[in-house]
Amino acid sequence: MPDEYLPPNKILFLQNLPESVTKDQLLALFSQLRHFSFLTSIYRQSFYRYPNLHEVRLIPTKKDIAFVEYIDEGSAGVAKDALHNYKLDGENKIKVSFFIFLLSSMWVF
């Protein structure tokens, strides 16, 4: 089934990851803490560009895939749209799609 027809849900499936990717790198990428200043450096606010990140799961036996879970499907959709085809290693584009719940009872989150 083409990715554009997958129903939205709160779990993203990542493919084409560099084998050297770490959980910390994915946590940083899929939450992205941002700081900004308004008018002066005295007023400073932080926010997460992709809020509501719940968990990142790497697959030890298959290092080029991972799962990223958000608290709600809206947050997952924002991250998916923004990070699909992102060049994590500066070279290869990662594929970000919604997780397919076929046989999902095999996966424990």
Side-chain angles (χ1 to χ4, degrees), residues 5-49:
Y5 297 116
L6 294 175
N9 63 77
K10 63 182 185 172
I11 301 173
L12 301 177
F13 178 52
L14 312 182
Q15 299 174 78
N16 201 33
L17 295 171
E19 287 198 13
S20 60
V21 74
T22 66
K23 185 174 183 174
D24 288 340
Q25 285 175 309
L26 293 177
L27 283 167
L29 179 63
F30 282 85
S31 62
Q32 289 195 13
L33 179 63
R34 296 286 191 216
H35 301 285
F36 68 92
S37 298
F38 178 72
L39 297 178
T40 69
S41 60
I42 295 171
Y43 180 76
R44 191 170 175 92
Q45 185 174 352
S46 299
F47 68 97
Y48 288 96
R49 177 178 274 179

